[in-house]
Coordinates of all heavy atoms in Angstrom, one line a residue:
M106 N 18.7 67.0 34.5 CA 19.6 66.7 33.4 C 20.9 65.9 33.8 O 21.3 65.0 33.1 CB 20.0 68.0 32.8 CG 21.0 67.9 31.6 SD 20.0 67.2 30.3 CE 21.0 67.1 29.0
R107 N 21.3 66.1 35.1 CA 22.4 65.4 35.6 C 22.0 64.0 35.8 O 23.0 63.1 35.5 CB 22.8 66.1 37.0 CG 23.9 65.4 37.5 CD 24.4 66.1 38.8 NE 23.7 65.4 39.9 CZ 23.5 65.9 41.1 NH1 23.9 67.0 41.5 NH2 22.8 65.1 42.1
Y108 N 20.9 63.7 36.2 CA 20.5 62.3 36.4 C 20.5 61.5 35.0 O 20.8 60.3 35.0 CB 19.2 62.1 37.1 CG 19.2 62.7 38.5 CD1 18.5 63.9 38.8 CD2 19.9 62.2 39.5 CE1 18.6 64.5 40.1 CE2 20.1 62.7 40.7 CZ 19.4 63.9 41.1 OH 19.4 64.5 42.3
R109 N 20.0 62.2 34.1 CA 19.9 61.6 32.6 C 21.4 61.2 32.2 O 21.6 60.2 31.7 CB 19.4 62.5 31.7 CG 17.8 62.6 31.9 CD 17.2 63.4 30.8 NE 15.8 63.7 31.1 CZ 15.1 64.5 30.4 NH1 15.6 65.1 29.3 NH2 13.8 64.7 30.6
M110 N 22.3 62.2 32.4 CA 23.7 61.9 32.1 C 24.2 60.7 32.8 O 25.0 59.8 32.3 CB 24.5 63.2 32.2 CG 25.9 63.0 31.7 SD 25.8 62.7 29.9 CE 26.7 64.0 29.3
T111 N 24.0 60.7 34.1 CA 24.5 59.6 34.9 C 23.9 58.2 34.5 O 24.6 57.2 34.4 CB 24.1 59.8 36.5 OG1 24.6 61.0 36.9 CG2 24.6 58.8 37.3
F112 N 22.5 58.3 34.2 CA 22.0 57.1 33.7 C 22.6 56.6 32.4 O 22.9 55.4 32.1 CB 20.5 57.3 33.4 CG 19.8 56.1 32.9 CD1 19.5 55.0 33.7 CD2 19.4 56.0 31.6 CE1 18.9 53.8 33.2 CE2 18.7 54.9 31.1 CZ 18.5 53.9 31.9
A113 N 22.8 57.6 31.5 CA 23.4 57.3 30.2 C 24.8 56.7 30.3 O 25.2 55.7 29.7 CB 23.5 58.4 29.3
V114 N 25.6 57.3 31.2 CA 27.0 56.8 31.4 C 27.0 55.4 32.0 O 27.7 54.5 31.6 CB 27.8 57.8 32.4 CG1 29.1 57.2 32.8 CG2 28.1 59.1 31.6
G115 N 26.1 55.2 33.0 CA 25.9 53.8 33.6 C 25.5 52.8 32.6 O 26.0 51.6 32.6
L116 N 24.6 53.2 31.7 CA 24.2 52.3 30.6 C 25.3 51.9 29.7 O 25.4 50.8 29.4 CB 23.0 52.9 29.8 CG 22.3 52.1 28.8 CD1 21.5 50.9 29.5 CD2 21.3 52.9 28.0
A117 N 26.1 53.0 29.4 CA 27.2 52.7 28.4 C 28.3 51.7 29.1 O 28.8 50.8 28.5 CB 27.9 53.9 28.0
V118 N 28.6 52.0 30.3 CA 29.5 51.2 31.1 C 29.0 49.8 31.2 O 29.8 48.8 31.0 CB 29.8 51.7 32.5 CG1 30.6 50.8 33.3 CG2 30.6 53.1 32.3
G119 N 27.8 49.6 31.5 CA 27.1 48.2 31.6 C 27.2 47.5 30.3 O 27.5 46.3 30.2
Y120 N 27.0 48.2 29.2 CA 27.0 47.6 27.9 C 28.3 47.2 27.6 O 28.6 46.0 27.1 CB 26.5 48.5 26.9 CG 26.6 48.0 25.4 CD1 25.6 47.1 25.0 CD2 27.6 48.4 24.6 CE1 25.7 46.6 23.8 CE2 27.8 47.8 23.3 CZ 26.7 46.9 22.9 OH 26.9 46.3 21.6
V121 N 29.4 47.9 27.8 CA 30.8 47.6 27.4 C 31.3 46.5 28.3 O 31.8 45.5 27.8 CB 31.7 48.9 27.6 CG1 33.1 48.4 27.6 CG2 31.4 49.9 26.6
L122 N 30.9 46.5 29.7 CA 31.4 45.5 30.5 C 30.7 44.2 30.2 O 31.2 43.0 30.2 CB 31.1 45.8 32.0 CG 32.0 46.9 32.6 CD1 31.7 47.1 34.0 CD2 33.5 46.5 32.4
G123 N 29.4 44.3 29.8 CA 28.6 43.1 29.4 C 29.1 42.4 28.2 O 29.1 41.2 28.0
S124 N 29.4 43.3 27.2 CA 29.9 42.8 25.9 C 31.3 42.2 26.0 O 31.6 41.1 25.3 CB 29.9 43.8 24.9 OG 30.9 44.8 25.2
R125 N 32.1 42.6 26.9 CA 33.5 42.0 27.3 C 33.3 40.7 27.9 O 34.1 39.8 27.7 CB 34.3 43.0 28.0 CG 34.8 44.0 27.2 CD 35.8 44.9 28.0 NE 36.3 46.0 27.2 CZ 37.1 46.9 27.7 NH1 37.4 46.9 29.0 NH2 37.5 47.9 27.0
A126 N 32.3 40.5 28.8 CA 32.1 39.3 29.5 C 31.7 38.2 28.6 O 32.0 37.0 28.7 CB 31.1 39.4 30.6
G127 N 30.9 38.5 27.5 CA 30.6 37.4 26.6 C 29.4 36.6 26.9 O 28.8 36.7 28.0
R128 N 29.1 35.7 26.0 CA 27.9 34.8 26.1 C 28.0 33.8 27.3 O 27.0 33.5 28.0 CB 27.7 34.2 24.7 CG 26.5 33.2 24.7 CD 25.2 34.1 24.7 NE 24.0 33.2 24.6 CZ 22.9 33.6 24.5 NH1 22.6 34.9 24.4 NH2 21.9 32.9 24.4
E129 N 29.1 33.4 27.5 CA 29.4 32.3 28.5 C 29.2 32.9 29.9 O 28.4 32.2 30.7 CB 30.9 31.8 28.4 CG 31.2 30.7 29.4 CD 32.6 30.2 29.1 OE1 33.0 30.0 28.1 OE2 33.2 29.9 30.2
R130 N 29.6 34.1 30.1 CA 29.3 34.6 31.4 C 27.9 35.0 31.6 O 27.3 34.9 32.7 CB 30.2 36.0 31.5 CG 30.0 36.7 32.8 CD 30.6 36.0 34.1 NE 30.3 36.8 35.3 CZ 30.1 36.3 36.4 NH1 30.0 35.0 36.6 NH2 29.9 37.1 37.4
Y131 N 27.2 35.5 30.5 CA 25.8 35.7 30.5 C 25.0 34.5 30.9 O 24.1 34.6 31.8 CB 25.4 36.3 29.1 CG 23.8 36.3 29.0 CD1 23.1 37.2 29.6 CD2 23.2 35.3 28.3 CE1 21.7 37.3 29.5 CE2 21.8 35.3 28.1 CZ 21.1 36.2 28.8 OH 19.7 36.2 28.7
E132 N 25.3 33.4 30.3 CA 24.7 32.1 30.6 C 24.9 31.7 32.1 O 24.0 31.2 32.8 CB 25.1 31.0 29.7 CG 24.7 31.2 28.3 CD 23.2 31.1 28.1 OE1 22.5 30.5 28.9 OE2 22.7 31.7 27.0
Q133 N 26.0 31.9 32.5 CA 26.4 31.6 33.9 C 25.6 32.5 34.9 O 25.0 31.9 35.9 CB 27.9 31.9 34.3 CG 28.4 31.5 35.7 CD 29.8 31.9 36.0 OE1 30.4 32.5 35.2 NE2 30.3 31.4 37.0
I134 N 25.5 33.7 34.7 CA 24.6 34.6 35.5 C 23.1 34.2 35.4 O 22.5 34.2 36.4 CB 24.9 36.1 35.0 CG1 26.3 36.5 35.4 CG2 23.8 37.1 35.6 CD1 26.7 37.9 34.7
K135 N 22.8 34.0 34.2 CA 21.4 33.5 34.1 C 21.0 32.2 34.9 O 20.0 32.1 35.5 CB 21.1 33.2 32.5 CG 19.7 32.9 32.1 CD 19.6 32.8 30.6 CE 18.3 32.1 30.2 NZ 18.3 31.9 28.8
R136 N 21.9 31.2 34.8 CA 21.7 30.0 35.5 C 21.6 30.4 37.1 O 20.8 29.8 37.8 CB 22.8 29.1 35.3 CG 22.6 28.2 33.9 CD 23.6 27.0 33.8 NE 25.1 27.5 34.1 CZ 25.8 27.8 33.1 NH1 25.5 27.8 31.9 NH2 27.1 28.1 33.4
T137 N 22.5 31.2 37.6 CA 22.6 31.5 39.0 C 21.3 32.2 39.4 O 20.7 32.0 40.4 CB 23.8 32.4 39.3 OG1 25.0 31.7 38.9 CG2 23.9 32.8 40.7
A138 N 20.9 33.2 38.5 CA 19.6 33.9 38.8 C 18.4 32.9 38.9 O 17.6 33.1 39.8 CB 19.4 35.0 37.8
Q139 N 18.4 31.9 37.9 CA 17.3 31.0 37.9 C 17.3 30.1 39.2 O 16.3 29.9 39.8 CB 17.4 30.2 36.7 CG 16.2 29.2 36.5 CD 15.0 30.0 36.2 OE1 15.0 31.0 35.5 NE2 13.8 29.6 37.0
R140 N 18.5 29.7 39.6 CA 18.6 28.9 40.9 C 18.2 29.7 42.1 O 17.4 29.2 42.9 CB 20.1 28.5 41.1 CG 20.3 27.1 40.6 CD 21.7 26.5 41.1 NE 22.5 26.9 40.0 CZ 23.8 27.4 40.1 NH1 24.3 27.6 41.3 NH2 24.5 27.8 39.1
V141 N 18.5 31.0 42.1 CA 18.0 31.8 43.3 C 16.5 32.0 43.2 O 15.8 31.9 44.2 CB 18.7 33.2 43.2 CG1 18.2 34.2 44.2 CG2 20.2 33.0 43.5
A142 N 16.0 32.2 42.1 CA 14.5 32.4 41.9 C 13.7 31.1 42.2 O 12.6 31.2 42.7 CB 14.1 32.9 40.4
D143 N 14.3 30.0 42.0 CA 13.7 28.7 42.3 C 13.8 28.3 43.7 O 13.1 27.3 44.1 CB 14.2 27.7 41.4 CG 13.8 27.8 39.9 OD1 12.8 28.6 39.8 OD2 14.4 27.2 39.0
N144 N 14.7 28.9 44.5 CA 14.9 28.6 45.9 C 13.6 28.9 46.7 O 12.9 29.9 46.6 CB 16.0 29.4 46.4 CG 16.4 29.1 47.8 OD1 15.6 28.5 48.7 ND2 17.7 29.3 48.1
P145 N 13.1 27.9 47.5 CA 11.9 27.9 48.2 C 11.9 29.1 49.2 O 10.9 29.7 49.5 CB 11.7 26.6 49.0 CG 12.6 25.7 48.1 CD 13.7 26.5 47.6
R146 N 13.0 29.4 49.9 CA 13.2 30.5 50.8 C 12.9 31.8 50.2 O 12.2 32.7 50.7 CB 14.5 30.4 51.5 CG 14.6 29.4 52.6 CD 15.9 29.5 53.3 NE 16.1 28.5 54.3 CZ 17.2 28.2 55.0 NH1 18.1 29.0 54.7 NH2 17.2 27.3 55.9
V147 N 13.5 31.8 49.0 CA 13.3 33.2 48.2 C 11.9 33.4 47.8 O 11.3 34.4 47.9 CB 14.2 33.2 46.9 CG1 14.0 34.4 46.1 CG2 15.8 33.2 47.4
Q148 N 11.2 32.3 47.4 CA 9.8 32.3 47.0 C 9.0 32.7 48.1 O 8.0 33.4 48.0 CB 9.3 31.0 46.3 CG 9.9 30.9 45.0 CD 9.6 29.5 44.4 OE1 8.8 28.7 44.9 NE2 9.9 29.3 43.2
E149 N 9.3 32.1 49.4 CA 8.5 32.4 50.5 C 8.7 33.9 51.0 O 7.7 34.6 51.3 CB 9.1 31.6 51.7 CG 8.3 31.8 53.0 CD 8.9 30.9 54.2 OE1 9.6 29.9 53.8 OE2 8.7 31.2 55.3
V150 N 9.9 34.4 50.9 CA 10.1 35.9 51.2 C 9.4 36.8 50.2 O 8.8 37.7 50.6 CB 11.6 36.2 51.2 CG1 11.9 37.7 51.3 CG2 12.3 35.5 52.4
A151 N 9.4 36.3 48.9 CA 8.7 37.1 47.9 C 7.3 37.1 48.1 O 6.5 38.2 48.0 CB 9.1 36.6 46.5
G152 N 6.6 36.1 48.7 CA 5.3 36.0 49.0 C 4.9 36.9 50.1 O 3.9 37.6 50.1
V153 N 5.8 36.9 51.2 CA 5.6 37.8 52.3 C 5.7 39.3 51.9 O 4.8 40.0 52.3 CB 6.5 37.4 53.5 CG1 6.5 38.5 54.5 CG2 6.3 36.0 54.0
V154 N 6.7 39.6 51.2 CA 6.8 41.0 50.7 C 5.6 41.4 49.9 O 5.1 42.5 50.0 CB 8.1 41.1 50.0 CG1 8.2 42.4 49.2 CG2 9.3 41.0 50.9
G155 N 5.1 40.4 49.0 CA 4.0 40.7 48.2 C 2.7 41.0 49.0 O 1.9 41.9 48.7
A156 N 2.5 40.1 50.0 CA 1.4 40.4 50.9 C 1.4 41.6 51.7 O 0.5 42.3 51.8 CB 1.3 39.2 51.8
Q157 N 2.6 42.0 52.1 CA 2.8 43.2 52.8 C 2.6 44.4 51.9 O 1.9 45.5 52.3 CB 4.2 43.4 53.5 CG 4.3 42.5 54.7 CD 5.8 42.5 55.2 OE1 6.7 43.0 54.6 NE2 5.9 42.0 56.4
A158 N 3.0 44.4 50.7 CA 2.8 45.5 49.8 C 1.4 45.6 49.3 O 0.8 46.7 49.3 CB 3.6 45.2 48.4
S159 N 0.6 44.5 49.3 CA -0.7 44.4 49.0 C -1.6 45.1 50.2 O -2.4 45.9 50.1 CB -1.3 43.1 48.8 OG -2.6 43.1 48.3
K160 N -1.1 44.7 51.4 CA -1.8 45.2 52.6 C -1.5 46.8 52.7 O -2.5 47.6 52.9 CB -1.2 44.6 53.8 CG -1.8 45.1 55.1 CD -1.1 44.4 56.4 CE -1.5 44.9 57.6 NZ -0.8 44.3 58.7
F161 N -0.3 47.3 52.5 CA 0.0 48.6 52.4 C -0.8 49.4 51.4 O -1.3 50.5 51.6 CB 1.6 48.8 52.1 CG 2.0 50.3 52.1 CD1 2.1 51.1 53.3 CD2 2.3 50.9 50.9 CE1 2.4 52.4 53.3 CE2 2.7 52.2 50.9 CZ 2.7 53.0 52.0
A162 N -0.9 48.9 50.2 CA -1.6 49.5 49.1 C -3.1 49.7 49.5 O -3.7 50.7 49.2 CB -1.4 48.7 47.8
G163 N -3.7 48.6 50.1 CA -5.1 48.7 50.6 C -5.2 49.8 51.6 O -6.2 50.5 51.6
M164 N -4.3 49.9 52.6 CA -4.4 51.0 53.6 C -4.3 52.3 52.9 O -5.0 53.2 53.3 CB -3.3 50.7 54.6 CG -3.5 49.6 55.5 SD -2.2 49.2 56.7 CE -1.2 50.6 56.8
A165 N -3.3 52.5 52.0 CA -3.1 53.8 51.3 C -4.4 54.1 50.5 O -4.9 55.2 50.5 CB -2.0 53.7 50.4
R166 N -5.0 53.1 49.8 CA -6.2 53.4 49.0 C -7.4 53.8 50.0 O -8.1 54.7 49.6 CB -6.6 52.0 48.4 CG -7.8 52.3 47.3 CD -8.1 51.0 46.6 NE -7.0 50.3 46.0 CZ -6.6 49.1 46.4 NH1 -7.3 48.4 47.2 NH2 -5.5 48.5 45.8
S167 N -7.5 53.1 51.2 CA -8.6 53.5 52.1 C -8.4 55.0 52.6 O -9.3 55.7 52.8 CB -8.7 52.5 53.1 OG -7.6 52.6 54.0
K168 N -7.1 55.3 52.9 CA -6.8 56.7 53.4 C -7.0 57.7 52.4 O -7.5 58.9 52.7 CB -5.4 56.7 54.0 CG -5.3 55.9 55.3 CD -3.9 56.1 55.9 CE -3.8 55.2 57.2 NZ -2.5 55.3 57.8
V169 N -6.5 57.5 51.2 CA -6.5 58.5 50.2 C -7.7 58.4 49.3 O -8.1 59.5 48.7 CB -5.2 58.3 49.3 CG1 -5.2 59.3 48.1 CG2 -4.0 58.5 50.1
G170 N -8.4 57.4 49.2 CA -9.5 57.2 48.3 C -10.7 58.2 48.5 O -11.1 58.9 47.6
G171 N -11.1 58.5 49.8 CA -12.1 59.5 50.0 C -11.7 60.9 49.6 O -12.5 61.6 49.0
T172 N -10.4 61.2 49.9 CA -10.0 62.5 49.5 C -10.0 62.7 48.0 O -10.4 63.7 47.4 CB -8.5 62.7 50.1 OG1 -8.5 62.5 51.4 CG2 -8.0 64.1 49.7
L173 N -9.5 61.7 47.3 CA -9.5 61.8 45.8 C -10.8 61.9 45.3 O -11.1 62.6 44.3 CB -8.8 60.6 45.2 CG -7.2 60.6 45.3 CD1 -6.6 59.3 44.7 CD2 -6.7 61.8 44.7
Q174 N -11.8 61.1 45.8 CA -13.1 61.1 45.3 C -13.8 62.5 45.5 O -14.7 62.9 44.7 CB -14.0 60.1 45.9 CG -13.7 58.7 45.3 CD -14.6 57.6 45.9 OE1 -15.3 57.8 46.9 NE2 -14.5 56.5 45.4
Q175 N -13.5 63.2 46.5 CA -14.0 64.5 46.8 C -13.4 65.6 45.9 O -14.0 66.5 45.4 CB -13.7 65.0 48.3 CG -14.5 64.2 49.3 CD -14.0 64.5 50.6 OE1 -13.0 65.3 50.9 NE2 -14.7 63.9 51.7
R176 N -12.1 65.4 45.5 CA -11.4 66.4 44.7 C -11.5 66.1 43.2 O -11.3 67.0 42.5 CB -9.9 66.4 45.0 CG -9.7 66.9 46.4 CD -8.3 67.1 46.8 NE -8.1 67.5 48.2 CZ -7.1 68.1 48.7 NH1 -6.0 68.3 47.9 NH2 -7.1 68.5 49.8
I177 N -11.7 64.9 42.8 CA -11.8 64.6 41.4 C -13.2 64.1 41.0 O -13.6 63.0 41.5 CB -10.7 63.5 41.0 CG1 -9.4 64.0 41.3 CG2 -10.9 63.2 39.5 CD1 -8.3 63.0 41.1
P178 N -14.1 64.9 40.5 CA -15.4 64.6 40.4 C -15.8 63.3 39.7 O -16.8 62.6 40.0 CB -16.1 65.8 39.7 CG -14.9 66.6 39.1 CD -13.7 66.1 39.8
F179 N -15.1 62.8 38.7 CA -15.5 61.7 37.9 C -15.2 60.4 38.6 O -15.4 59.3 38.1 CB -15.0 61.7 36.5 CG -13.5 61.6 36.3 CD1 -12.7 60.5 36.4 CD2 -12.8 62.9 36.1 CE1 -11.4 60.6 36.3 CE2 -11.5 63.0 36.0 CZ -10.7 61.8 36.0
L180 N -14.5 60.5 39.9 CA -14.3 59.3 40.6 C -15.5 58.8 41.4 O -15.5 57.8 42.1 CB -13.1 59.5 41.5 CG -11.7 59.4 40.7 CD1 -10.6 59.6 41.7 CD2 -11.4 58.2 39.9
H181 N -16.5 59.7 41.5 CA -17.6 59.4 42.2 C -18.4 58.2 41.7 O -18.6 58.1 40.5 CB -18.6 60.5 42.4 CG -18.1 61.7 43.2 ND1 -18.2 61.7 44.6 CD2 -17.7 62.9 42.9 CE1 -17.7 62.9 45.0 NE2 -17.4 63.6 44.0
S182 N -18.7 57.2 42.5 CA -19.4 56.0 42.0 C -20.7 55.9 42.8 O -21.2 54.8 43.0 CB -18.5 54.8 42.2 OG -18.2 54.6 43.6
D183 N -21.3 57.0 43.3 CA -22.4 56.9 44.2 C -23.7 57.2 43.4 O -24.8 57.4 43.9 CB -22.3 58.0 45.3 CG -22.1 59.3 44.9 OD1 -22.1 59.6 43.7 OD2 -22.0 60.3 45.7
G184 N -23.8 57.2 42.1 CA -24.9 57.3 41.2 C -25.2 58.7 40.9 O -26.1 59.0 40.2
H185 N -24.5 59.8 41.4 CA -24.8 61.2 41.1 C -24.3 61.5 39.7 O -24.9 62.4 39.1 CB -24.1 62.0 42.1 CG -24.9 62.0 43.5 ND1 -24.9 60.8 44.2 CD2 -25.4 63.0 44.2 CE1 -25.6 61.2 45.3 NE2 -25.9 62.4 45.4
Q186 N -23.3 60.8 39.2 CA -22.7 61.1 37.9 C -23.3 60.1 36.9 O -23.4 59.0 37.2 CB -21.3 61.1 37.9 CG -20.7 62.1 38.9 CD -20.8 63.5 38.5 OE1 -20.9 63.7 37.2 NE2 -20.7 64.5 39.4
P187 N -23.7 60.5 35.7 CA -24.1 59.6 34.6 C -22.9 58.8 34.2 O -21.8 59.2 34.1 CB -24.6 60.4 33.5 CG -23.9 61.8 33.7 CD -23.7 61.9 35.2
E188 N -23.2 57.5 33.9 CA -22.1 56.6 33.4 C -22.0 56.8 31.9 O -22.9 56.6 31.2 CB -22.5 55.1 33.7 CG -22.1 54.7 35.0 CD -20.7 54.8 35.4 OE1 -19.8 54.4 34.6 OE2 -20.4 55.1 36.6
T189 N -20.8 57.3 31.5 CA -20.7 57.5 30.0 C -19.6 56.5 29.5 O -19.5 56.6 28.3 CB -20.1 59.0 29.8 OG1 -18.9 59.1 30.5 CG2 -21.1 60.0 30.3
G190 N -19.0 55.8 30.3 CA -18.1 54.8 29.8 C -16.6 55.3 29.9 O -15.7 54.6 29.9
T191 N -16.5 56.6 29.9 CA -15.1 57.2 29.9 C -14.7 57.8 31.3 O -13.5 58.0 31.4 CB -15.0 58.3 28.8 OG1 -15.9 59.4 29.1 CG2 -15.3 57.9 27.4
G192 N -15.7 58.0 32.1 CA -15.3 58.5 33.3 C -15.5 60.0 33.5 O -15.4 60.6 34.5
W193 N -15.7 60.6 32.4 CA -15.8 62.1 32.3 C -17.3 62.5 32.6 O -18.1 62.1 31.9 CB -15.3 62.7 31.0 CG -13.9 62.5 30.8 CD1 -13.4 61.6 30.0 CD2 -12.9 63.2 31.4 NE1 -12.0 61.7 30.1 CE2 -11.6 62.6 31.0 CE3 -12.8 64.2 32.4 CZ2 -10.4 63.0 31.4 CZ3 -11.6 64.7 32.8 CH2 -10.4 64.1 32.3
P194 N -17.5 63.3 33.6 CA -18.9 63.5 34.1 C -19.7 64.3 33.1 O -21.0 64.1 33.0 CB -18.8 64.2 35.4 CG -17.4 64.8 35.4 CD -16.5 63.9 34.6
D195 N -19.1 65.2 32.4 CA -19.9 66.1 31.6 C -20.1 65.7 30.2 O -20.7 66.4 29.3 CB -19.3 67.6 31.6 CG -19.2 68.2 33.0 OD1 -20.2 67.8 33.8 OD2 -18.3 68.9 33.4
E196 N -19.5 64.5 29.8 CA -19.6 64.2 28.4 C -21.1 63.8 28.0 O -21.4 64.2 26.9 CB -18.8 62.9 28.3 CG -18.8 62.4 26.8 CD -17.9 61.1 26.6 OE1 -18.4 60.1 27.0 OE2 -16.8 61.3 26.0
E197 N -21.9 63.3 28.8 CA -23.3 63.0 28.6 C -24.0 64.3 28.3 O -24.8 64.5 27.4 CB -24.0 62.1 29.6 CG -25.3 61.7 29.2 CD -25.4 60.8 28.0 OE1 -24.5 60.1 27.7 OE2 -26.4 60.9 27.2
V198 N -23.8 65.2 29.2 CA -24.5 66.6 29.2 C -24.1 67.3 27.8 O -24.9 67.8 27.2 CB -24.1 67.4 30.5 CG1 -24.6 68.9 30.2 CG2 -24.5 66.8 31.6
A199 N -22.8 67.3 27.5 CA -22.4 67.8 26.2 C -23.0 67.2 25.0 O -23.4 67.8 24.1 CB -20.8 67.8 26.1
A200 N -23.1 65.9 25.1 CA -23.7 65.2 24.0 C -25.1 65.4 23.9 O -25.7 65.6 22.7 CB -23.5 63.6 24.2
Q201 N -25.9 65.6 25.0 CA -27.3 65.9 25.0 C -27.5 67.3 24.4 O -28.4 67.6 23.6 CB -27.9 65.8 26.4 CG -29.4 66.2 26.4 CD -30.2 65.2 25.6 OE1 -29.8 64.0 25.6 NE2 -31.3 65.6 25.1
K202 N -26.7 68.2 24.8 CA -26.8 69.6 24.3 C -26.5 69.7 22.8 O -27.2 70.4 22.0 CB -25.8 70.6 25.0 CG -26.3 70.9 26.4 CD -25.4 71.8 27.0 CE -25.8 72.2 28.5 NZ -24.9 73.1 29.2
A203 N -25.5 68.9 22.3 CA -25.2 68.9 20.9 C -26.3 68.3 20.1 O -26.7 68.7 19.0 CB -23.9 68.1 20.7
R204 N -27.0 67.2 20.6 CA -28.2 66.6 20.0 C -29.3 67.7 19.8 O -30.0 67.8 18.8 CB -28.6 65.4 20.7 CG -27.8 64.1 20.4 CD -28.4 62.9 20.9 NE -28.5 62.9 22.3 CZ -27.6 62.3 23.1 NH1 -26.5 61.6 22.6 NH2 -27.7 62.2 24.4
E205 N -29.5 68.4 20.9 CA -30.6 69.4 20.9 C -30.3 70.5 19.9 O -31.3 71.0 19.3 CB -30.8 69.9 22.3 CG -31.4 68.9 23.3 CD -31.4 69.4 24.7 OE1 -30.9 70.6 25.0 OE2 -31.8 68.7 25.6
S206 N -29.1 70.9 19.8 CA -28.7 72.0 18.9 C -28.5 71.5 17.4 O -28.3 72.3 16.6 CB -27.6 72.8 19.4 OG -26.4 71.9 19.3
G207 N -28.5 70.2 17.2 CA -28.3 69.7 15.9 C -26.8 69.6 15.5 O -26.5 69.3 14.3
I208 N -25.9 69.8 16.3 CA -24.5 69.8 16.0 C -24.1 68.3 16.2 O -24.4 67.7 17.3 CB -23.7 70.6 17.0 CG1 -24.1 72.1 16.8 CG2 -22.2 70.4 16.8 CD1 -23.5 73.0 17.8
P209 N -23.5 67.7 15.3 CA -23.0 66.3 15.5 C -22.0 66.2 16.6 O -21.0 67.0 16.6 CB -22.3 66.0 14.1 CG -22.3 67.1 13.3 CD -23.0 68.2 14.0
Y210 N -22.1 65.3 17.4 CA -21.2 65.1 18.5 C -20.4 63.8 18.4 O -20.9 62.7 18.0 CB -22.0 65.0 19.9 CG -21.1 65.0 21.0 CD1 -20.4 66.0 21.4 CD2 -21.0 63.7 21.8 CE1 -19.5 65.9 22.6 CE2 -20.2 63.6 22.9 CZ -19.5 64.8 23.3 OH -18.6 64.7 24.4

């Protein structure tokens, strides 16, 4: 609750200060941000950071992926589970039982 209140106060202060600065200051900040974003060095750093993040995500996926597949049954993609389109393994079994008993599924 404390964090929500802090966020709300920060939002209100930002709104008041932003409205006092006016449209001209907003346009100035916007132009500066665009110049920074267009800078080749900034784009290069963003590319390197993106590549490192992608590499880290791949390592995390390889380390955690096996554990998640063991603990969450519908993540198995080894053919043991029927493909139902939703990822839920027992949906096809439930549909088959419903068809056999005449209950609409």
Side-chain angles (χ1 to χ4, degrees):
M106 184 67 178
R107 185 178 87 195
Y108 297 112
R109 288 183 188 175
M110 187 58 122
T111 303
F112 177 75
V114 168
L116 188 66
V118 168
Y120 178 77
V121 169
L122 292 178
S124 64
R125 285 187 180 172
R128 182 72 178 185
E129 186 177 317
R130 178 69 177 146
Y131 167 76
E132 293 295 334
Q133 181 185 12
I134 292 170
K135 186 176 162 184
R136 283 191 306 269
T137 302
Q139 188 63 45
R140 263 188 272 139
V141 169
D143 290 340
N144 187 330
R146 286 186 180 171
V147 172
Q148 291 180 355
E149 182 181 339
V150 169
V153 169
V154 168
Q157 287 177 346
S159 187
K160 180 181 172 183
F161 177 74
M164 287 177 10
R166 188 179 311 117
S167 68
K168 288 182 180 180
V169 177
T172 304
L173 286 178
Q174 286 183 349
Q175 291 171 356
R176 293 185 182 199
I177 304 174
F179 61 83
L180 289 179
H181 287 286
S182 59
D183 56 3
H185 287 58
Q186 300 289 337
E188 281 296 321
T189 61
T191 61
W193 295 101
D195 296 330
E196 185 178 72
E197 186 64 32
V198 174
Q201 181 64 32
K202 287 181 180 179
R204 281 192 292 268
E205 290 172 0
S206 64
I208 299 172
Y210 183 72

